[in-house]
Each structure stands twice: as structure tokens, then as C-alpha cells.
Amino acid sequence: MTETWTAPKATAAEWARRNLFNRWYNSALTVVLGVFLAWLAYKLVVVLFGIDYEIIRRNLLLFMVGEFPRDQIERPFISTILFGLAFGLGAATAAASARHAAAEADLAYAAPTPRMLVRRFWPLLALVAALLAFTRTVMPTVMALSTILGGAALYFGARGMPRSMVRWGWMGTLVLGIAAFAVIIVGVDGGWNAWGGFQINIFLAIAGIVIAFPFGLLLALGRRSSLPVVRYLSVTYIEFIRGVPLITLLLMGVFALGFFLPEALRPGPAIRVLIAIVMFEAAYVAEVVRGGLQAVPKGQLEAGQALGLPAWKTTRLIILPQALRATIPAMVGQFISLYKDTTLVNLVGMFDVLEVALVVNSQSDFIGKRLFFLTLAFAGVLFWVGSYTMSREAQRLEKKLGIGER
Amino acid sequence: MTSVSETTERTRPPFWRDLAVLRVAAQVAAVVLAALVLVYLGNNLVTNTRAQGITLGFDFLDQPLGVDIQLSPITASNTILQGLIRGWINTLALVIVGLPLLTVLGVVVGVARLSSNWLVAKLAALYVEIVRNIPPLLIILFVHNVVILGLPPKNEPASPLGWFSISNFVIAGPWFDASDGAGAFWTAVAVAAVAAVFVWRRRTKVNEATGEPHHRVAYSLGLVVLVGVIAFFVLGRPLSWSLPVFKDRLVTGGIQGLGQYFSMLLALVVYTASHVAEIVRGSIQAVAKGQSEAANALALSGFQRLRFVTLPQAARIAVPPIISQYLNYTKNTSLAIGVAYAEVTLIAFQAIGNGQPAPQLILLLMVGYLIFSLTISFVLNIVNRRMQLVSR
């Protein structure tokens, strides 16, 4: 008599009764909110399909790259493609390394299928499609397709790489990444200072966190050092920076940094802003890394000592690999927050995407038309897509790494 | 025994491998390095400022500010120091009003995300997922340029109910008008409020000791209201309503706030509340499931379960991360440069633009924010310590 009872499949009416009308006050809420939502959706549809996107269409290039020299405009395109390739190769290498690690530990490893990837990155793909709808020439479409297809081809082609190739995979990613930067710096009139638009937000965020990482690592190790002087110096720096707003550091970088350097060493505006961001970010990266260091059980350190390893080898070979793996999700979170914070550079005179969204409203064809809602919403969508995708990926990683599980 | 100490004595390594010596050497090296960097930067600062004819002291604080601060007694002829102080007051005005608002909004949305009503939960999730993934500065600019500047123009304010005056320049509402005896009235109310705290504690103790209903809200609130009403009439009605009036292109009376102030307040509250909502949701979910099952077993209603079982326990988990959100909010008030609301960063920024020395002004700004942040985290950490369970 082992009959298993299975719940009958709920009908739509039953589902609605259970989830929308289970109490009188919930019914009331549902009705009120339902009416409100319907009205909102109606308004949104009317606005989305009723307005003229000319201001975006005409200024799309300005939004993306600011006043980058137009006779060298192919450079940002090439940079984007290289960036896509770097991303594809990096993801492939990470996947290969995870697969080898899983095989070593006799664990199952499921590689994501193209369908899963589309489901994970749909906001990004939808954004690209929407952007391409605004373009007037064929070049952006060619660029977007080569970026996505090139990156995907590299990912699916290279993720089966043997163990010996993993090291070269990382090396190639690094080279491609550096090349992506070099293309829009070296040989460009004005170098870094020619940057503008969304490009400056993305590249300041990436360069900021990459350059800040080693400093943050040192600060975190310094904060946990057994040498009191080193510890106090690190703690003072970290707590000082974390106590002040980023904008004060940016003001310092732009208006006061020049006073602290001899004339020959004074950098241009973009580098000044980057220095301020790196100083700021190093303190936050240090706190993230410290979290990871604290997550490594003490027995690991003692095991290193028992093996007779010197302190720096114990740190490098035993503590850091475990600590840094645990910090990946928090590091993504920190990157998202920096990505959003890069908008602050327009307050100190950089021509970033937010500044573009404001100034296009003063163009003679659009002045007085109050299109701020459209241009700012467009800039908002650009940020939202990257930020949302990354935060979802961070959550996925967190689950996969089993961090925060009790 | 002696042989062991002799052995250690003999095998003591040479000084370049002696850990005790190395530790001291490393620390001395760190100090020297830090000092060298500071001396180098300081040296450059002295040389460069001298070359540009800028003095390094803080005498410039006595110079005229050069700009008016709207809705304040500070004008262009006041000193920079007075301007900076007014800037801090304006920063404080954003913080004092904003923190309670964002807490309420954040808790409501965080609880709503776990609602049994599917529509409410999804709507709360939509709000959180949209807002927290957009840069705060963008939200500020959006609110300012679209919502606040979309209000009626400065010279044609709307006045709903006759109680408010709303334009894109100033938003004003009803407030008190003080006459003689107002000071005495507020003193009486303050004393009553302190007494009410004691009554509250007393009633709680009585309730715990005897089990009779505490009615502490009724007792303490009643005390304050009673004292307030008596003082009001005894002192000869020291307060009266003041309604904002628009006349001669100026709004007078009532309580007034600049349009920029409301842009900042609205945007930052909405942004920070989305982060607080996530913290609240996570904290509620972190409360052991048995607790809410126990509440259900006791037949508590949904509200009672939240009020007496889940939220008090979730609060302990939520307080430290919420403190850090409060600090983020405070630091984000510096984004007011974007909408020209005269808080301290904008005042300093304008002074730098007027040719005042940047290094000192930025130093003052940083130290000010540091003190501000440390004060907030100090106070809130005391609150946190009192809330945590005392274990062991």
C-alpha cells in the first residue's frame, strides 16, 4: 500500500486565489496595484512607441565615445572587437581551468550550452540589438557581430584546451586586453584625454580595478601583518579613504595633485582622475581581500608553517589562492560599484556618458524640448544592463563556490 | 635543561636571518619609506605653492565667499568659513531628513519582497532590481531634470489646499510660527519627552514583573501630549500655524526647501532604500525558519509574526550593513555638485573655482567628512551593541 500522494496541478484560478487573493487586504492590494500597474504599462508603451528617438540616433556616437577623433573612429571599433575576444578567451580559460580542477577532484563539471548563455546574458544581447536599431551605417553592426561571434567562437573553440594550455590562455587574455586599451591610446591625438562617452566609464572602471588590485592586496596583507607599524599604516590609509566620498578624492586629483608633484611629472586630466580612482579603489579592494583572507581556516597557515615554508611562500602558495577564489563574488560587487561611480568624473569636467546625456539637450534642434527623460533613461539603461548582468553572475558564482552557506 | 638553552644560544642565526631583528628592521623601513614619500610630497607642495604665490595657511577662510547661498542668511560678502559651516548645515539637513525616510522605505520594500501576494513581491523586486543597478548620480540628475524641474515655474507656484506652495525653485509647506514663550514651550515638551522615556521603561518593567498590560505607548505619548497642551495654553498660545504665501514673486512663511534639496533627498532616499531593502530581505530570510513556523503554530497573524518574531531577530542581523548604507548615503550627499545644491562640497568646489587654494580646502573637506562619518558610525555602533544578544 505505498501510494505516493502527488499534489494536483494548480489551475490558474487556484494559483490566483492562493497568490493574489488569499486575504481580504491582499485582494484589495492586488486590485489597487493591478490598476496602477496597468496604467503604468499603458503609459510606458505610449511613451516608448510614441516618442521620437532622433536625439539618441543622431548622437549615438557621442554617447559611446564622446569626442574621440572622428578620423580615427575605427580604433574604438577595433578595441571593442579585441575586448570581446579577450572576454571570450578569458571565459574559455576559466571554464577549462574549472573543468580540469573538477576532473582532478573527481567531480562532475557541466559546461554551459549556448542556450544557457543566451538566457544568462539576454539583457546584454537585447541592448546590443536596440543600439543597432539606432545606427545609420553598417559599420557598428559589423563591429557588434564580430565582437559577439568572435568572442563566442573563441569561447566554444578554446574551452576544450588541455591543461598545459591554461597558462597560455590567461596570457592571451591579458595580451588581448592590453591590446584593446592600446588601440585607443597609442597614436591617438590627445591619447587618454581624447576619450569620452560611455567608453570612458567602461575603461576607467576596468583600468581602475585592475591597477588598484595589487595595491589593495598589499594593503590587505599589511592590515593582517604581525608587524604593528605596517598594520597601523595600512589601517590608517584604508579607513581614511573609506571615510571620505569619492568626489573629494577626484577634486584632489584634478585640483590639488599638481601641487604635490614636480612640473615634469604632472599628468593630464584622464590620468589624474584615474589616480584618484585607484587610490579610492585600493582601500575597498583591500577590504574585500581581507574578507577572503579571514575565510581561510587558520589550519592552512599552520600547515604551511609545519612544512617549513617561509612566510611569503605560505602566503603566496597556500593562503592567497584560497582567499582570492573566495573573494571573486565580492570583487564583482566592488567592480559594479566602481562602474556606477565612474559617472562622478563628469562633476570634475570629464566628458563621460552622463555629461553627453545632459549636453545633447542644448543642441539647437533639441533645446527646450525637455528630452532629459529620454537621454538620461538611455544612459541609465546602458549602466543597468552591465550592472544587472554582473550582479546576477556574481550571485551565480557565489552559489557555485558555496560562499555564505551555513 | 641548561643544555637546551645552550643549544639555542649557539644556533641563534646571524642577524640578517634573525626574525627579531628582521621584524624591527622591516618596521623601521616602512616608517622611513612612508616618511620619505610624505616629505617628498610636502616639499613639492611648498615649492609649487611658493612658485604660484599661494600661501599655505588657513587665512583664506576669512576672505569673502563670493556667492550667495539661497534660502540662508549667507551672502557673497560673508566669509568662506561661514559659507563652509552653512554647507555642513545643508549637508546635515539632507542626512537628518533622509535617514529615517530611507529606513522606512527600505524596510517596507524589503518586507514587501517576501509578501505572500505575488504582485506585491514582484513589484518590490522590480523596484529594487532597477534602482540599485543605476548610478546614484544618474538618478539624482534624472529626478532633478525630469521631476523637480517639471514642476510649475518659479513665478507660478501651485498651492494645493492653500497649505503648500510648489514650484521648481522652492517647495514650501505649513510650519509653526513662534512668538514669545515658544522657548519655554519647547523646553516643557522636551522635559516631558525625557519623562516619557522613564514612564516607558517603568511600564515595561511593571509588565514584565506582573504581566499586567503595559500600555506604554498610551502612557508616554499621553504624558507628552498632556504637558504640551497645558503648556500651550498656560504660556498664552506661543505657537501658531504659518502657511506659505506667494506674493511679489517670493514665497514667505511656512517651511521652505529648495528644489535642488528635494531632488537630492528624493533621489538618494530612493537609491539607498533599494540597498536597504535587499539587506532587510536577506536578514529576514536569515532568521531561522523554525521561528516563523513557531509563530504560525501559535496562530499569530501575519503582522504579529513579523512584528513580534521575525523583524526583531532580523534587525540584529541587519543593523551593521544598514549602518554602512547610512554612511554611503552621507557620502553620496556630496554628489549635490551635480544639481548645485549648496552643501559643503559645492561650497568648497566653488571656492576653488574662485581661486582659493585647493589643497587646504580639500583637506578641510576630507577631514570634515571623516569626522562626520566617524561620528555617525560611533553613535550607530553603540545602538548596534545594545541591540545584539549578549552571549557567552
Side-chain angles (χ1 to χ4, degrees), chain B residues 185 188-189 192 222-233:
Chain B
F185 172 77
V189 172
L223 179 68
V224 175
V225 170
L226 193 70
V227 171
V229 169
I230 293 174
F232 185 75
F233 288 107

Side-chain angles (χ1 to χ4, degrees), chain A residues 34-272:
Chain A
V35 170
F36 171 71
L37 270 184
W39 174 82
L40 203 69
Y42 168 74
K43 278 277 174 200
L44 208 61
V45 168
V46 167
V47 169
L48 271 182
F49 292 98
I51 46 170
D52 187 3
Y53 290 93
E54 183 61 21
I55 190 167
I56 307 283
R57 211 168 282 144
R58 192 179 299 173
N59 295 302
L60 194 58
L61 208 52
L62 206 58
F63 270 104
M64 290 301 145
V65 297
E67 284 168 326
F68 199 88
R70 290 295 184 264
D71 52 341
Q72 294 178 309
I73 203 67
E74 67 282 354
R75 283 167 176 272
F77 286 130
I78 295 171
S79 169
T80 312
I81 296 173
L82 285 172
F83 194 64
L85 292 179
F87 189 77
L89 187 58
T93 314
S97 129
R99 187 166 48 83
H100 292 306
E104 213 165 80
D106 249 349
L107 293 171
Y109 173 79
T113 60
R115 217 178 122 182
M116 279 158 74
L117 288 180
V118 168
R119 194 177 296 163
R120 264 161 62 186
F121 293 101
W122 71 263
L124 217 54
L125 296 175
L127 176 71
V128 171
L131 286 182
L132 291 181
F134 288 132
T135 58
R136 290 168 168 171
T137 55
V138 74
M139 207 158 131
T141 313
V142 172
M143 174 204 73
L145 284 181
S146 11
T147 307
I148 293 173
L149 295 180
L154 208 49
Y155 172 73
F156 288 111
R159 72 177 177 182
M161 69 174 84
R163 202 189 168 99
S164 55
M165 289 295 285
V166 167
R167 172 175 299 225
W168 295 105
W170 289 127
M171 208 74 104
T173 309
L174 193 68
V175 168
L176 283 170
I178 292 174
F181 271 86
V183 166
I184 47 172
I185 300 172
V186 182
V188 176
D189 311 329
W192 291 67
N193 300 316
W195 290 12
F198 197 39
Q199 168 178 266
I200 209 167
N201 295 98
I202 292 181
F203 280 82
L204 273 180
I206 295 174
I209 204 138
V210 169
I211 300 173
F213 182 76
F215 295 106
L217 189 59
L218 285 180
L219 281 170
L221 291 175
R223 192 170 185 163
R224 283 172 56 93
S225 164
S226 60
L227 308 176
V229 169
V230 175
R231 198 165 59 229
Y232 288 135
L233 284 175
S234 309
V235 170
T236 310
Y237 180 82
I238 294 172
E239 293 305 326
F240 178 80
I241 297 287
R242 276 162 35 98
V244 301
L246 174 57
I247 185 71
T248 57
L249 278 163
L250 288 172
L251 289 176
M252 191 216 64
V254 172
F255 295 110
L257 189 66
F259 287 110
F260 293 100
L261 294 172
E263 212 157 346
L265 287 179
R266 272 175 220 165
I271 303 284
R272 286 172 180 225

Side-chain angles (χ1 to χ4, degrees), chain B residues 158-178:
Chain B
S159 52
L161 304 172
W163 288 5
F164 299 90
S165 167
I166 297 173
S167 72
N168 57 24
F169 175 61
V170 163
I171 297 176
W175 198 242
F176 307 107
D177 219 355

Side-chain angles (χ1 to χ4, degrees), chain A residues 15 55 70 111 135 166 198 218 222 226 242 265 291 307 318 324-325 328 350 360 376 378:
Chain A
W15 179 89
I55 190 167
R70 290 295 184 264
T135 58
V166 167
F198 197 39
L218 285 180
S226 60
R242 276 162 35 98
L265 287 179
L307 288 173
I318 297 180
L324 292 184
R325 186 162 307 149
I328 293 173
M350 306 287 282
V360 290
L376 285 170
F378 177 68

